[in-house]
């Protein structure tokens, strides 16, 4: 490597580390759970916006700290940013076109932790339940709260979103909440979705819930769908 290139690389690394250190002070306060310290930091101009890798509200959500989330939202913390959730070890998914689930908006982080109280707070605070998430290298994916909850198999959170108006027939990347639940083997979630109007048969252009359940060996879901009239 030429000396000039090496120097430029060193400068870039120094700048990145420096920016990270400056921008993450509010994140550290939010993660620490000290509400009074957070209020003091905000009174001094603490930045609630996101950095290149996370945001204060992501840290508060990861800690399950509802009072901190409410405080940050009072100061206009964004609820629509999607960042690498380093506190949660995401996994390859069906519903997100093989992108990691650990690029999440704040409500996605709450769903991934099965934190229904936090999900309720974020939803009532205006967190989008459907959005396009930007990730690294210019990639994007369509985030859907009910799809993520169905894929994780969190029945109470799926039920909450249904009551809140989410469609049981949300179609994304060829899957629906029911087909995702069937694929993952989440019997109770699949049954809940059917009771709330989820279609058990779709056009031939997308995988049928009964087909994906059979492919994955989930006979109990296959039987339930068959009784419901799925083909």
């Amino acid at each position: 490597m030429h000396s000039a290139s090496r120097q430029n690389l060193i400068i870039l690394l120094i700048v990145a580390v420096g920016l990270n250190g400056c921008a993450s002070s509010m994140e550290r306060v939010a993660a620490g759970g000290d509400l009074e310290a957070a209020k003091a930091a905000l009174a001094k101009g603490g930045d609630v916006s996101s950095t290149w890798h996370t945001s204060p509200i992501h840290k508060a959500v990861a800690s399950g700290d509802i009072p901190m989330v409410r405080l940050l939202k009072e100061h206009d913390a964004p609820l629509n940013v999607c960042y690498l959730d380093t506190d949660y070890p995401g996994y390859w998914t069906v519903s997100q076109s093989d992108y990691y689930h650990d690029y999440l908006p704040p409500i996605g982080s709450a769903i991934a932790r099965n934190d229904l109280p936090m999900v309720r707070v974020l939803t009532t605070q205006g967190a989008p339940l459907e959005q396009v998430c930007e990730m690294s290298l210019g990639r994007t994916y369509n985030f859907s709260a009910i799809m993520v909850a169905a894929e994780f198999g969190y029945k109470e959170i799926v039920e909450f979103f249904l009551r809140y108006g989410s469609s049981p027939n949300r179609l994304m990347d060829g899957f629906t909440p029911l087909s995702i639940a069937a694929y993952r083997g989440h019997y109770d979630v699949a049954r809940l979705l059917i009771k709330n109007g989820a279609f058990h048969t779709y056009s031939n252009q997308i995988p049928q819930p009964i087909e994906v359940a059979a492919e994955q060996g989930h006979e109990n879901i296959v039987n339930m769908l068959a009784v419901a009239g799925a083909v």
Side-chain angles (χ1 to χ4, degrees), residues 182 200 204 206-217 222 225 230-231:
H200 48 65
N204 293 330
I206 67 172
Q208 302 301 312
I210 197 168
E211 293 174 348
V212 296
E215 289 171 359
Q216 299 301 312
V222 171
L225 291 169
V231 294

Side-chain angles (χ1 to χ4, degrees), residues 108-127:
S109 292
I111 296 168
R113 290 171 171 79
N114 198 17
D115 190 343
L116 179 57
M118 183 66 75
V119 167
R120 288 195 185 106
V121 167
L122 290 169
T123 302
T124 56
Q125 292 280 349

Side-chain angles (χ1 to χ4, degrees), residues 36-56:
E36 294 306 313
K39 290 177 180 178
L42 290 166
K44 294 179 181 178
D47 189 2
V48 298
S49 64
S50 57
T51 66
W52 66 275
H53 70 296
T54 187
S55 73

Side-chain angles (χ1 to χ4, degrees), residues 22-172:
C22 292
S24 64
S25 59
M26 196 65 222
E27 293 160 16
R28 288 195 296 268
V29 172
D34 188 333
L35 203 61
E36 294 306 313
K39 290 177 180 178
L42 290 166
K44 294 179 181 178
D47 189 2
V48 298
S49 64
S50 57
T51 66
W52 66 275
H53 70 296
T54 187
S55 73
I57 204 160
H58 276 83
K59 292 297 186 182
V61 169
S63 301
D65 192 338
I66 288 176
M68 186 70 71
V69 165
R70 285 179 169 144
L71 175 65
L72 293 169
K73 186 62 179 69
E74 287 173 6
H75 288 77
D76 299 321
L79 296 177
N80 62 342
V81 290
C82 301
Y83 283 109
L84 184 68
D85 187 343
T86 55
D87 297 317
Y88 180 80
Y91 66 96
W92 293 99
T93 69
V94 178
S95 63
Q96 310 299 348
S97 299
D98 286 344
Y99 289 141
Y100 269 119
H101 248 319
D102 51 7
Y103 269 93
L104 296 168
I107 196 167
S109 292
I111 296 168
R113 290 171 171 79
N114 198 17
D115 190 343
L116 179 57
M118 183 66 75
V119 167
R120 288 195 185 106
V121 167
L122 290 169
T123 302
T124 56
Q125 292 280 349
L129 304 184
E130 306 275 343
Q131 70 173 89
V132 176
C133 273
E134 297 182 1
M135 303 187 299
S136 61
L137 304 177
R139 298 177 302 165
T140 63
Y141 79 87
N142 295 316
F143 170 83
S144 169
I146 193 170
M147 292 287 283
V148 175
E151 184 161 10
F152 276 101
Y154 297 147
K155 179 184 174 182
E156 290 183 349
I157 295 180
V158 172
E159 190 171 22
F160 169 78
F161 288 138
L162 289 170
R163 291 200 306 268
Y164 209 81
S166 294
S167 172
N169 295 301
R170 171 70 164 93
L171 179 61
M172 186 175 71

Side-chain angles (χ1 to χ4, degrees), residues 5-20:
S5 299
R6 185 180 296 109
Q7 289 175 352
N8 289 337
L9 177 59
I10 292 172
I11 290 172
L12 286 173
L13 289 171
I14 291 172
V15 170
V17 171
L19 288 174
N20 182 33

